[in-house]
Every structure is written in C-alpha cells, then in structure tokens.
Amino acid sequence: QQFMDTELYITVGDVSRNDGVPKFLKPEPGQIAEVPEEASVGTAVFQADAMDPDDPNTANGKLVYSFPDDGTIVQKLFQIDPNSGLITTKVPLDREEREEYTLILEARDLGNPVQQTSRLLTVVVKDVDDHPPQFERQRNSVPLMMEVEEEMPINMKIGEVIAIDKDIGRNAVIDYAIIYGNDDGVFGISRDDQNRGIITLDKRLDREMSGLHTLTIKCFEPTDRINKISKMPYNKLKLDEIQVKVHVRDKDDNNPTFVERNLTRGVRVNAAIYTEIGKVHADDADAEADVINYHLENVTFHRPKTGMKRDLGESGFLVDPSTGVIQTNQS
C-alpha cells in the first residue's frame, strides 16, 4: 500500500452572504440617561455600544449608529456619532418645556444585505435651579386683602400667600418673609408643607392702636434668605413681592367714658321747667362702637347748712338720651 502526505490550508470566515445580525450591548432594555437642563451644546448624554458577530474588519461587521429619520424633534436636539455611538446635545435643553425624551437608536452594518437592530433610550432632563420664585400677579395688581378680629388668640392663622417656582424638587422650595410694615412684629409668616406662606398673629392685635396694617411680603429660595430680607418699601415691579392689607375688625371691648368725670353747675331757685343746666359728653375707644345713649341714674338732694341728704330717684331733672343735655323737670 502506497501513500503520501500533503498540506491542506482551510480558511474559516464569512465566505457566504451577510448573515450576522448586530446586537446592542448598551443601552440595556429600559435604561435611562440623564442630562442637566441648559447644558452646553455638545454635552455627552450616553455612550451607545453594539456588536456584530461578523468580522469587524469587513463591511459585514462594520457598524454605523444613527437615529431613524422619523420626523420627530429628536434629531434637532440630539446627535449620535455614526462611528463611536456617542450621543450628545445639539442645543441647550429646557426641563420646563419638556422633561423627558425617548430616543430610537439604530445600529446597522455595511454588508449586503444590510443587517440592523434598534433600541430605545429614555433621556431625562435634570432640573437646574434656574427659575426664581414669583407671585402670580400683574405688576399693577391691587393689594391682597385680609380681615381679622382684634384680640384674636396669638399664633392663629390670618391668611396665606402662594408663590410659584417652575423648578422641581428641592429647587422649588420657597421661603417667605415680611420685609416691610411689621415694625412691631405683630405678624409672622412661615412656609407649610405645600410651599404656602402662612401669615399668623404673633402679638396682641388692638384695633384702637391701628385698624389697618399694610405688609410687604417677599418670596425667595431658602439659601438666599440673607440677601432677600432687607427692609425695603413695596416695589410693584418686583414679582417676588406682594402687598397684603390686614383690616382689623373692631371688637366692642371698651366701655364709654365721660370726658369730664365731675361737673358743677348752678340753677336759679324756681327756674322754669326745662331750663338747660349743662351737657355731658362721653367717648368710646372702639372705632365701630354703637351710638352712645345717656340716661339719668339717680338724683341726690343735699343741703350743706343742715347736712340733709335725700335721694330723689330720677325726679327733678331730665337728660336727653342722644345729646346728653341736662334740663330741669320741675320748677
């Protein structure tokens, strides 16, 4: 039996049609990317990565990245490097305009026929503290009116003001301060868990001392308190300020008092009936008190020489209930 040896070289490779399908490694399904709002043009958003089972040194294994030409706004805001797969911004993004985008990523090879795959990527625009809080009012708006009764309990709520911050989360927290019209510290204001400014009574409120309090309230970010609470009159052009007028309703808590406590008047013996002797006048410190009426409580007759004293009841004199004029009621 005769034989001989020879060498045979076998090459393993893509010798047939392009049958390798690309596959995305990143992003993974459901993965989310974040980018700060107002980030500069060219800011990196995400690094996409795909692989092809074919030889990367051939057209069948060479991958190109792209967005589909589907007419959405994505291509105006983002771009993807066709060779590296790096996604960057084309314009600064505004979270208040839109806070989330869904990008369709495509990876295709250069073989024939072309093989491609796609993957969704959600891009969330992170909030940046770029909006100062403001009150929703017109620049020529009238003051906000509130009413409260005098002598109300301390620490009671009088009313509330609400400012708006277009940011979200911690960047949307708002503080408030009374920067004018509260020299005596009668009122206080604090933020509640709904970002409202709650106005409270911190000291005794007396209508007779002041019936109207005009307050200037300012809203600001908590970190900016020191710079914002300087004492300044109300400026209607600044939308971070609002004017509040607190009207104090009168409570009838004061008795009327005579202007003169003791009067001495004389009248002739046998003077005609209804002779006017004098007039009394009383004041009431309550601003909204009822009309004062006068009446005769008692008459005492006294003769100094003899020391005689006798109560006459209400006889002998008249007092006009409206004017306080005193007259004789007998001669």
Side-chain angles (χ1 to χ4, degrees):
Q1 185 177 359
Q2 295 182 348
F3 63 87
M4 67 178 298
D5 295 331
T6 187
E7 292 182 355
L8 175 66
Y9 294 94
I10 300 175
T11 301
V12 179
D14 285 333
V15 293
S16 61
R17 60 181 298 175
N18 181 26
D19 57 356
V21 179
K23 176 183 178 182
F24 269 104
L25 303 177
K26 292 182 181 181
E28 298 176 356
Q31 190 167 357
I32 296 176
E34 294 182 340
V35 60
E37 68 171 330
E38 302 300 337
S40 59
V41 175
T43 297
V45 177
F46 190 81
Q47 177 64 64
D49 185 27
M51 58 83 64
D52 191 303
D54 293 315
D55 186 350
N57 296 315
T58 66
N60 291 345
K62 173 65 175 178
L63 293 180
V64 176
Y65 300 91
S66 64
F67 295 134
D69 189 11
D70 54 6
T72 64
I73 197 174
V74 167
Q75 294 194 40
K76 296 180 180 180
L77 305 179
F78 303 92
Q79 63 185 2
I80 184 169
D81 187 287
N83 297 313
S84 68
L86 178 63
I87 302 171
T88 57
T89 58
K90 295 177 69 174
V91 297
L93 303 176
D94 186 359
R95 189 207 62 82
E96 284 70 45
E97 182 178 328
R98 185 170 173 178
E99 61 184 30
E100 185 177 296
Y101 297 89
T102 299
L103 279 57
I104 302 176
L105 313 184
E106 290 184 344
R108 70 178 187 279
D109 61 26
L110 300 179
N112 185 21
V114 174
Q115 298 283 6
Q116 69 177 32
T117 186
S118 62
R119 178 64 56 85
L120 296 180
L121 174 66
T122 299
V123 177
V124 174
V125 183
K126 295 197 306 181
D127 184 51
V128 173
D129 195 359
D130 57 347
H131 289 86
Q134 294 182 337
F135 290 104
E136 287 191 319
R137 64 169 182 84
Q138 301 298 320
R139 297 189 187 276
N140 59 348
S141 62
V142 298
L144 185 63
M145 300 299 297
M146 298 180 181
E147 277 195 347
V148 62
E149 187 176 74
E150 70 169 330
E151 303 296 350
M152 73 177 295
I154 304 298
N155 298 324
M156 290 290 291
K157 175 182 175 180
I158 294 175
E160 64 185 47
V161 294
I162 304 175
I164 302 298
D165 192 318
K166 293 182 180 180
D167 295 310
I168 60 173
R170 294 176 57 186
N171 293 335
V173 176
I174 303 173
D175 260 356
Y176 302 86
I178 303 173
I179 63 171
Y180 203 77
N182 193 35
D183 292 341
D184 295 331
V186 175
F187 304 97
I189 188 169
S190 59
R191 180 186 72 245
D192 69 358
D193 56 4
Q194 297 183 38
N195 238 8
R196 301 174 299 184
I198 306 301
I199 303 172
T200 54
L201 183 67
D202 284 3
K203 291 184 179 179
R204 177 177 176 267
L205 197 58
D206 189 350
R207 171 65 175 78
E208 286 66 58
M209 295 294 293
S210 178
L212 181 65
H213 298 264
T214 302
L215 310 176
T216 298
I217 296 176
K218 196 176 191 71
C219 63
F220 47 86
E221 297 172 359
T223 56
D224 210 16
R225 170 174 285 273
I226 296 178
N227 300 323
K228 295 293 187 179
I229 60 174
S230 56
K231 183 179 178 181
M232 295 291 290
Y234 176 64
N235 186 342
K236 65 180 181 180
L237 299 180
K238 294 182 177 180
L239 295 181
D240 60 349
E241 295 182 7
I242 192 169
Q243 196 171 54
V244 176
K245 290 185 178 291
V246 181
H247 171 67
V248 184
R249 296 194 306 270
D250 186 52
K251 180 180 181 181
D252 193 2
D253 57 349
N254 290 280
N255 293 322
T257 58
F258 284 105
V259 176
E260 295 182 75
R261 297 288 298 174
N262 295 295
L263 298 176
T264 300
R265 295 292 185 268
V267 62
R268 292 185 298 107
V269 177
N270 298 325
I273 191 172
Y274 303 137
T275 297
E276 183 175 327
I277 298 174
K279 182 179 181 180
V280 293
H281 179 73
D283 286 332
D284 193 322
D286 292 313
E288 301 172 13
D290 294 333
V291 176
I292 297 175
N293 292 315
Y294 303 91
H295 73 277
L296 188 62
E297 187 75 19
N298 186 54
V299 176
T300 300
F301 177 75
H302 179 65
R303 179 175 290 176
K305 289 185 178 181
T306 62
M308 184 189 74
K309 182 185 291 186
R310 184 173 60 186
D311 289 334
L312 304 179
E314 299 180 16
S315 63
F317 299 92
L318 295 173
V319 177
D320 187 289
S322 300
T323 65
V325 172
I326 304 173
Q327 299 173 308
T328 59
N329 193 25
Q330 61 187 33
S331 59

